[in-house]
């Protein structure tokens, strides 16, 4: 049974008390949603996936720049089922895929050649809305000449305005201006195309869902078998819960960041943005150069919006910050992060040492290390060591360069108790009153 709407118009209730009640009710509703999702997807379902999805959708009701989120995982891991549960939320425009940039903005309207024409996705969204991409993988797999204009258009759409030139009708220009939230699902093909996306300026925050745990795989497969025949009921119930959570979001009780939270978000965004910067490779895949490091401004604002959205859907501050740090961590290409963390634990390591510990191909590890060296995040030291028959050989050893603290991306749950905890779970909202319980 879905919790009824929260009444915010009781004139006889003290505003502070009313806000506290709203927070309690929203957290209770979110807890009900968690139970329902695990009822249908199993106890191994990653609740962070739906929490991040709802937080992104909630940002539509908050002030500030939009938040674009992608759930990344292998095929058949409930990521599309998760993001499409926003289907009943106000302002949502579902999109299966894009074929050309004209699908985003077109001059063909409903009264033209096609009676079903809308003028493009952005015309449906209007000045404000949420686009849900069921499968971003199909866009990435396009021919580069087709994919590039779409990615370039998305980049401008994130910034709030897009002018699309037409080659017909005398070279007319189409225009859209607004604020749109994007939530989507994509396979790990995203990492294959990382350099393409990063070169154009990455606009997405990522949350990765683990699909390697054997016990979880069997449990999820068993649950899917048990759900057979009830999929329509499952989707209807889960969509109803998601819509109710977003409907009940109160944008007046958004918490203001504490100094400790601000510092943690900035540190995580700074390192993640730096570490995901694209590098140039030759036809063999060897690193030849790197782009100037990405700055932390955009990602830090996105992570702040994620924190704010997570709080208004019903997460406490500590859980919201944990979700933020996880997403910052997931924005870094996985093997780059693994190498950074390994070298932080084992400075002055040789490539072969890292390969053995990570159990990855030697050539792959070497290219990742060279990418990090090119970016200036890892330093290399050449020395001579004794070899056979009294000879010596040159050996390269690698360490994380001073000034890069990889620990800022460590999951909050795994940190020492005295390592930058956010403190109590509630604090003053933007309106000045306390929503805490």
């Amino acid at each position: 049974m879905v919790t009824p709407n929260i009444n915010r118009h009781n004139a006889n209730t003290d505003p502070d008390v009313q806000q506290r009640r709203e927070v309690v009710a929203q957290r209770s509703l979110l807890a009900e949603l968690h139970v329902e999702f695990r009822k249908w997807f199993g106890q191994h379902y990653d609740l962070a996936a739906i929490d991040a999805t709802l937080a992104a959708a909630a940002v539509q009701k908050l002030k500030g720049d939009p938040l674009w989120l992608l759930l990344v995982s292998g095929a058949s891991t409930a990521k599309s089922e998760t993001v499409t549960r926003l289907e009943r939320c106000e302002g949502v425009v579902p999109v299966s895929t894009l074929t050309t940039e004209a699908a985003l903005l077109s001059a063909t309207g409903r009264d033209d050649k096609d009676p079903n024409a809308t003028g493009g996705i952005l015309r449906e969204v209007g000045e404000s809305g949420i686009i849900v991409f069921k499968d971003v993988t199909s866009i990435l797999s396009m021919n580069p000449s087709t994919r590039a204009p779409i990615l370039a258009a998305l980049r401008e759409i994130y910034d709030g305005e897009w002018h699309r030139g037409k080659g017909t009708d005398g070279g007319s220009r189409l225009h859209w201006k607004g604020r749109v939230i994007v939530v989507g699902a994509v396979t790990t093909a995203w990492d294959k195309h990382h350099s393409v996306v990063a070169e154009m300026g990455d606009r997405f925050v990522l949350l990765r869902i683990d699909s390697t745990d054997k016990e979880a795989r069997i449990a999820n497969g068993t649950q899917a078998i048990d759900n057979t025949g009830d999929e329509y009921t499952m989707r209807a119930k889960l969509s109803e819960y998601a819509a109710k959570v977003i409907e009940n979001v109160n944008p007046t009780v958004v918490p203001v960041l504490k100094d400790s939270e601000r510092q943690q978000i900035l540190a995580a965004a700074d390192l993640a943005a730096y570490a995901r910067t694209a590098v140039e490779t030759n036809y063999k895949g060897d690193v030849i150069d790197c782009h100037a490091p990405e700055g932390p401004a955009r990602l830090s604002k996105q992570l702040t919006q994620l924190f704010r959205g997570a709080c208004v859907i019903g997460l406490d501050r500590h859980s919201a910050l944990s979700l933020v740090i996880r997403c910052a961590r997931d924005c870094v290409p996985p093997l780059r992060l693994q190498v950074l963390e390994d070298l932080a634990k084992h400075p002055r390591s040789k490539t072969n040492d890292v390969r053995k510990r990570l159990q990855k191909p030697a050539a792959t590890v070497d290219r990742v290390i060279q990418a990090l060296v090119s970016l200036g995040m890892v330093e290399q030291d050449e020395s001579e060591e004794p070899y056979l028959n009294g000879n010596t050989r040159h050996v390269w050893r690698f360490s994380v360069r001073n000034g890069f603290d990889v620990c800022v991306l460590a999951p909050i749950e795994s940190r020492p108790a005295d390592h930058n905890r956010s403190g109590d779970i509630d604090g003053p909202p933007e309106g000045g009153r306390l929503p805490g319980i």
Side-chain angles (χ1 to χ4, degrees):
M1 187 72 178
V2 178
T3 304
N5 289 346
I6 298 173
N7 182 10
R8 301 195 179 101
H9 305 289
N10 189 343
N12 298 321
T13 303
D14 179 85
D16 289 348
V17 174
Q18 180 64 23
Q19 286 189 350
R20 291 174 188 274
R21 288 178 178 174
E22 290 177 15
V23 171
V24 173
Q26 186 72 331
R27 290 181 179 177
S28 176
L29 179 57
L30 184 64
E32 290 180 28
L33 177 143
H34 285 169
V35 171
E36 195 70 15
F37 264 77
R38 283 196 162 165
K39 170 187 172 182
W40 291 100
F41 293 138
Q43 293 305 306
H44 290 276
Y45 174 76
D46 190 348
L47 291 175
I50 185 59
D51 287 343
T53 299
L54 292 172
V59 170
Q60 185 199 18
K61 294 189 173 185
L62 310 182
K63 297 178 180 179
D65 287 343
L67 173 60
W68 287 18
L69 173 78
L70 288 181
L71 302 187
V72 184
S73 188
S76 189
T77 51
K79 56 187 185 298
S80 294
E81 286 285 1
T82 298
V83 300
T84 52
R85 298 292 64 79
L86 296 177
E87 61 188 357
R88 295 190 182 182
C89 297
E90 183 180 359
V92 167
V93 177
V95 178
S96 295
T97 187
L98 295 175
T99 52
T100 66
E101 56 183 333
L104 290 166
L105 193 60
S106 172
T108 303
R110 192 180 303 276
D111 297 329
D112 295 322
K113 301 177 182 178
D114 188 347
N116 296 316
T118 63
I121 295 169
L122 294 178
R123 297 297 187 210
E124 293 185 68
V125 171
E127 294 183 357
S128 178
I130 304 171
I131 298 176
V132 175
F133 283 107
K134 183 178 180 181
D135 181 21
V136 176
T137 310
S138 57
I139 300 175
L140 298 176
S141 62
M142 290 178 174
N143 185 286
S145 61
T146 305
R147 180 184 63 207
I150 294 178
L151 294 180
L154 290 175
R155 176 182 177 179
E156 294 192 40
I157 291 168
Y158 175 88
D159 294 334
E161 190 169 10
W162 183 37
H163 295 271
R164 176 177 173 246
K166 289 177 54 191
T168 59
D169 300 328
S172 63
R173 286 163 60 90
L174 304 176
H175 176 247
W176 173 86
K177 187 174 183 178
R179 178 177 181 267
V180 60
I181 306 296
V182 172
V183 180
V186 66
T187 68
T188 48
W190 177 266
D191 296 314
K192 177 182 177 182
H193 299 279
H194 164 257
S195 60
V196 175
V197 177
E199 285 175 10
M200 303 185 69
D202 200 339
R203 262 61 173 174
F204 287 96
V205 171
L206 308 183
L207 185 135
R208 299 178 186 272
I209 303 172
D210 182 26
S211 60
T212 62
D213 184 85
K214 183 65 175 178
E215 182 180 352
R217 291 173 62 87
I218 298 302
N220 293 340
T222 302
Q223 186 67 51
I225 292 173
D226 293 342
N227 290 342
T228 303
D230 294 324
E231 291 88 350
Y232 179 83
T233 300
M234 174 192 76
R235 289 165 185 151
K237 286 186 176 181
L238 297 182
S239 296
E240 183 182 2
Y241 268 102
K244 188 60 64 177
V245 169
I246 299 303
E247 180 184 351
N248 288 343
V249 164
N250 184 353
T252 67
V253 294
V254 183
V256 176
L257 284 177
K258 301 176 183 178
D259 288 341
S260 61
E261 293 164 342
R262 184 183 298 108
Q263 291 168 10
Q264 289 184 77
I265 291 175
L266 177 57
D270 186 32
L271 184 63
Y274 207 117
R276 73 178 183 179
T277 300
V279 297
E280 295 285 348
T281 59
N282 61 19
Y283 70 98
K284 295 181 180 180
D286 297 326
V287 177
I288 57 177
D289 200 0
C290 69
H291 292 265
E294 178 186 346
R298 181 188 300 116
L299 184 55
S300 61
K301 290 175 68 175
Q302 291 172 322
L303 295 177
T304 300
Q305 288 287 61
L306 178 62
F307 177 86
R308 299 166 81 228
C311 287
V312 297
I313 65 166
L315 289 183
D316 61 66
R317 297 181 79 107
H318 180 70
S319 299
L321 186 61
S322 179
L323 179 65
V324 166
I325 298 302
R326 174 174 170 179
C327 287
R329 177 185 178 86
D330 288 346
C331 287
V332 182
L335 193 50
R336 279 194 193 180
L337 182 60
Q338 290 179 44
V339 169
L340 280 171
E341 291 182 327
D342 184 82
L343 290 177
K345 293 179 181 178
H346 308 281
R348 292 188 54 75
S349 289
K350 294 181 289 186
T351 300
N352 198 43
D353 298 331
V354 180
R355 177 193 67 79
K356 290 179 180 179
R357 289 190 292 263
L358 298 184
Q359 290 294 293
K360 299 292 184 181
T364 302
V365 171
D366 180 62
R367 285 169 178 165
V368 172
I369 290 177
Q370 293 307 317
L372 293 170
V373 169
S374 179
L375 287 169
M377 300 189 74
V378 167
E379 57 184 7
Q380 54 187 2
D381 177 47
E382 182 181 13
S383 61
E384 289 190 357
E385 293 185 355
Y387 196 50
L388 300 175
N389 301 322
N391 296 321
T392 60
R393 63 175 180 177
H394 290 282
V395 176
W396 291 97
R397 294 183 179 274
F398 303 92
S399 306
V400 176
R401 188 179 294 276
N402 289 337
F404 293 99
D405 182 7
V406 183
C407 291
V408 299
L409 291 179
I412 287 182
E413 291 76 9
S414 67
R415 296 181 184 181
D418 60 346
H419 193 285
N420 293 332
R421 285 293 296 269
S422 62
D424 57 304
I425 63 174
D426 293 300
E430 290 181 343
R433 292 190 293 272
L434 288 170
I437 56 175

